[in-house]
Each structure stands twice: as structure tokens, then as C-alpha cells.
Amino acid sequence: MVFVMERLTAVSDMKAWSRALLKQSRTIGFVPTMGYLHEGHLALMRRARAENDRVLVSIFVNPTQFGPSEDLNRYPRDLEGDAKKCSDVGVDALFLPEASQVYPPGFQTYVDVEEVSRPLCGASRPGHFRGVATIVLKLFNIVAPTRAYFGEKDRQQLRVIMAMAVDLDLDVEIVPCETVREADGLAMSSRNAYLSPDQRKQAVCLHQALLEAAGLFDKGERNADRYVRTMSQRIAQEPDAGVDYISLVHPETLQALTDVDDAAVAALAVKIGDTRLIDNMLFNHRSRKIQQT
Ligand code: AMP
């Protein structure tokens, strides 16, 4: 028998699909995305495939997480290419909701995850995480997943979802997944498609700045300002790079650090031309020691 991946558009069909599986005590692994899929997304799907009876991927470019001057209308789309990639990694069903059904007239309920949404991207993209938390909670309610997979590339998004899951007693396991990178270190992102060949070369500066910060951490540097200065100097070498933020933060609260102790996250958002890219790296003496044993 040929395997055919299902495509569901209506919220009612999606609910019926997941409720039927839950009745049979099947586990559902869920990967929410905005599409234009790359190896980073596929790694989440493979992990979900390995850990669950069924895998569901949603593709929805969520308007409420884009600011008025952001790239909602030109966000890259390739539905047929995406469907083929999902089918090839063994995804059971694709959920492709219509914006008009997700946000019908009269929609007025939003989720605000407070503290952890404020720094970093929350400061430069007001309302972004409110849109993210709202769509993710809605998708969780529709899909009723056993586990949901999120990339560490968007570490603040991951922490926002984790806080929401704890605070609102959600019955879903949030599974963090490592950042997948291109051969030269650039974190994979659908937005990398906006870069010209020359900008693509310059974009490697984000990862290189993080590696320089990792070098400081390995040497035992404790002063957070030195990390920020070192990263800023690396970014400044690229002619088309403009810094949105460069910060050293606590791995869980994401509040800025002044002194670095056992663990820290270096996080940055940099515009290369008109394209805003983000990346981050976790430094942790304890986990490093564990890995070495
Ligand atoms: P997006 O389509 O950009 O909303 O991303 C959907 C999911 O894929 C989110 O959980 C992202 O964090 C994750 N993701 C995106 N890029 C990567 C990457 N390079 N490595 C790992 N996960 C990623």
C-alpha cells in the first residue's frame, strides 16, 4: 500500500483526527512551523517521528506575530515542496489552517507570557511573543499533542512556550531541539532565502561572534561586557551588518547578566541588509564537564 500523508485544513477535521488517535491511546508528536522547510525543521520532525506513534506538522504563517512593518506578506512559501519534504521524513498529516478560520471576526483573546517575553526579541518586536504564545496555545488546543518540538535557534520562543506550558498547566511535553547549521555555521532559517550571495557570506558573522564568545567562556571570562564587546567587534567587520541586540543572558530567565558564572546564553539579532537574523549559543561548564566524562 502506498503511504499517503493527509492534508487537513478545517479546524474541525484536525480535531477529529487527533481525538480519534487519542481514543486509541496513540501518542502525537507535533511540529508547528511557518513553512519554507529546511533541515532545521526536518530534524524536529525526525525526532518527533522517533518518539511518537503519529507525527503532525502545521504550516501557518501567523499574522499576529508580525509587526506592521515586518515581512508577513513576503515571507517565503513553497507548499508543494514542503509537503514532499514532510512526506519523505514520514510525517502522517499536515495541518494547513486558513487565517480566516484561526482568527475569525470578533477574535479577541491573547496570551501574554510576561517576564521572559520582554528582553531580546521582545524588546525589538513588540507584540511578537504575544502572537506566538496565542497561536501555539490555539494549535495545542486543536491538535492535543503528546509532545511538541521547538528549536533552540529560537531560544526565547522556546522559553516563552515552556513558561506558558507550566503556568497554564498544559498537558504537553515541550521538547527542545538543537540548532541545525549550514556547513559554515550559519543557523538554518527560512529567512536566509532573502540574502544575496554576498550577504550570505557576511551572515556567517553571527555564528563566528558566538564562537568567539564561547572561547571567552572556556577561558573563564566572567565580565559580561567583554563578551558583548567581543561579539560586537566581529559583527562590525561586515559592511552590511547592523546590530539589533547583542546580549549575554541567563539561560532560563533570559535576563541580562553582568557577571558570568556556571552558565550563560549569548544571543544576538543582526540585520544583514534588510534581513534580520537571530542566533544564540548556550555556554555551560556543568554540561561540558558531563559531556567530557
Ligand atoms: P519557523 O518555521 O521559523 O517558525 O520554525 C519552526 C520551528 O523550527 C521552530 O521551533 C524553530 O525554532 C525551529 N527551527 C527553525 N530553524 C531551526 C534550526 N536551524 N535548527 C533547529 N530548529 C529550527
Side-chain angles (χ1 to χ4, degrees), residues 46 109 165 205 214 237 250 276:
R46 290 193 191 99
T109 306
C205 68
Q237 288 172 21
H250 185 281
R276 184 177 176 281

Side-chain angles (χ1 to χ4, degrees), residues 43-59:
L44 272 55
M45 294 176 204
R46 290 193 191 99
R47 174 111 184 246
R49 177 72 284 162
E51 297 177 353
N52 300 278
D53 298 321
R54 296 286 185 276
V55 177
L56 176 82
V57 171
S58 65
I59 299 179

Side-chain angles (χ1 to χ4, degrees), residues 27-33 40-58 136 140 145-152 154 157-158 161 172-178:
T27 56
I28 300 173
F30 176 41
V31 182
T33 81
H41 298 111
L42 301 187
L44 272 55
M45 294 176 204
R46 290 193 191 99
R47 174 111 184 246
R49 177 72 284 162
E51 297 177 353
N52 300 278
D53 298 321
R54 296 286 185 276
V55 177
L56 176 82
V57 171
S58 65
V136 171
F140 284 178
T146 318
R147 300 184 186 86
Y149 296 79
F150 291 89
E152 290 176 344
D154 302 285
Q157 168 171 281
L158 170 66
I161 307 283
V172 52
E173 184 188 337
I174 307 300
V175 183
C177 300
E178 262 181 36

Side-chain angles (χ1 to χ4, degrees), residues 245-262:
Y245 63 77
I246 296 181
S247 193
L248 208 74
V249 298
H250 185 281
E252 276 154 35
T253 66
L254 305 185
Q255 302 305 311
L257 296 172
T258 45
D259 294 307
V260 181
D261 206 355
D262 260 0

Side-chain angles (χ1 to χ4, degrees), residues 31-41 43-44 60 65 75 149-155 157-158 177-181 186-191:
V31 182
T33 81
M34 298 205 300
Y36 212 69
L37 304 176
H38 50 67
E39 275 300 317
H41 298 111
L44 272 55
F60 180 61
Q65 70 188 69
Y75 197 83
Y149 296 79
F150 291 89
E152 290 176 344
K153 188 213 155 230
D154 302 285
R155 189 176 294 273
Q157 168 171 281
L158 170 66
C177 300
E178 262 181 36
T179 303
V180 178
R181 298 179 180 283
L186 175 66
M188 290 194 184
S189 164
S190 307
R191 290 191 168 98

